[in-house]
Amino acid sequence: MNVNEKNNIIREAQQQTAALKKISRWKMIAMAVSTLGVALAYAGFAGFIQSPPLGVLGVAVTVIAAGAALIFNLGLKNGRRNVTKMLKILEGDRTA
């Protein structure tokens, strides 16, 4: 592997690491929105006001946000594995 190929792999690993940080932030946001959805569902079904449409909205928000968080988590897992493979290639381990 020549120097140019190594530099390209290093740059790609850095870019993917930066992207993983952004995805991690989005995952945390999705989890926070999911928590707000739970609060809406509780307020709609068992809270002081008890509005069934509010409860249904809360359940929908919770399910959608939790699904998004799971997808973001899968992307993080696969991305970290990919960066690890790139670093192994740089170290000279061709079994990556």
Side-chain angles (χ1 to χ4, degrees), residues 60-75:
V61 167
T62 301
V63 169
I64 292 169
L70 287 173
I71 291 170
F72 291 140
N73 193 47
L74 179 64

Side-chain angles (χ1 to χ4, degrees), residues 32-89:
V33 170
S34 176
T35 302
L36 292 175
V38 170
L40 278 176
Y42 177 79
F45 292 130
F48 183 68
I49 299 173
Q50 289 192 0
S51 171
L54 183 64
V56 171
L57 176 66
V59 170
V61 167
T62 301
V63 169
I64 292 169
L70 287 173
I71 291 170
F72 291 140
N73 193 47
L74 179 64
L76 285 169
K77 177 181 158 188
N78 291 337
R80 287 183 187 127
R81 185 173 41 207
N82 193 30
V83 170
T84 302
K85 284 182 182 181
M86 283 189 270
L87 295 177
K88 283 184 180 181
I89 288 171

Side-chain angles (χ1 to χ4, degrees), residues 8-9 14 17 23 28 62 75 83-84:
N8 286 339
I9 292 174
Q14 290 171 340
T17 302
I23 293 171
M28 294 304 261
T62 301
V83 170
T84 302

